[in-house]
Amino acid sequence: MKFQSVLLSAVALAAAAGAQAAPAKVADGKVLKAVTESDLQQLVLAEGHTVDELHPFEAPSVRGKTADGLYFLLIGTACDIGKVKGCQGAMMQVRYDDDESVTLEGVNKANMEEAAIGTWWDKEDKTVGFTRYVVMDDGVTWLNLRQNLRVLLDVQASTLKYVFPESEKK
């Protein structure tokens, strides 16, 4: 059940190594109507995690890593639309490789029991994911964005027992 990884290039590793202190701090009360890749990077750092990779996807994105070794993704969505610069949405995800214990019933149970995040299973790609999506159309505070990441990381941990009933992760 290892994190579904995206191949790292030598350039990405070098960028991630120097990326730990790059963005300026954001005040908790600041209202954001859009985020940039730099904001996503700062979000990872503001929560005490490390940046493992910058720009792992075509969209503005960051792969973070908790002190416990859990990888997670922050992906900007609805980017540079109309007159709005930046991304008006932020998808936060944790992904795992599936195993033989994953069932549709378990994924459905996870969705019913833990509505704060969406749980999904891509059988073809052999990936199980947990997602929290934040829409910033009329603005969210920086602290609210931070709290959304906390919710994803906390709730996915308690949801593993439904998706991976035979795993040591639960």
Side-chain angles (χ1 to χ4, degrees):
M1 238 179 31
K2 295 179 183 168
F3 176 81
Q4 184 77 18
S5 64
V6 178
L7 294 177
L8 295 174
S9 67
V11 173
L13 283 172
Q20 301 303 309
K25 289 191 175 188
V26 179
D28 282 343
K30 180 178 180 180
V31 175
L32 303 169
K33 293 187 178 185
V35 292
T36 64
E37 190 166 82
S38 180
D39 294 327
L40 297 175
Q41 178 184 5
Q42 181 57 37
L43 177 57
V44 171
L45 299 174
E47 286 301 302
H49 309 303
T50 58
V51 172
D52 184 66
E53 182 179 2
L54 291 174
H55 208 73
F57 296 98
E58 223 172 282
S61 49
V62 175
R63 184 168 70 177
K65 184 178 178 184
T66 68
D68 295 336
L70 178 69
Y71 291 95
F72 59 92
L73 297 165
L74 303 177
I75 305 166
T77 61
C79 303
D80 298 325
I81 296 176
K83 296 179 182 178
V84 179
K85 286 286 200 190
C87 303
Q88 297 172 67
M91 184 171 321
M92 303 175 178
Q93 292 187 336
V94 175
R95 299 178 182 184
Y96 294 91
D97 291 337
D98 72 2
D99 64 26
E100 63 283 344
S101 71
V102 177
T103 64
L104 286 176
E105 292 79 16
V107 171
N108 288 338
K109 175 97 170 151
N111 278 313
M112 295 299 293
E113 296 295 324
E114 300 289 358
I117 62 174
T119 302
W120 49 271
W121 181 24
D122 183 337
K123 286 172 119 177
E124 187 174 307
D125 196 36
K126 299 182 182 205
T127 304
V128 171
F130 302 95
T131 300
R132 185 148 173 107
Y133 187 74
V134 181
V135 176
M136 290 173 253
D137 291 354
D138 291 317
V140 297
T141 65
W142 179 249
L143 186 57
N144 181 268
L145 199 57
R146 291 178 65 182
Q147 184 61 31
N148 272 280
L149 178 56
R150 292 176 199 155
V151 168
L152 170 69
L153 297 176
D154 289 346
V155 175
Q156 72 82 37
S158 66
T159 307
L160 288 171
K161 64 187 173 199
Y162 304 116
V163 179
F164 296 102
E166 299 171 17
S167 172
E168 70 283 351
K169 291 279 187 192
K170 56 179 186 166

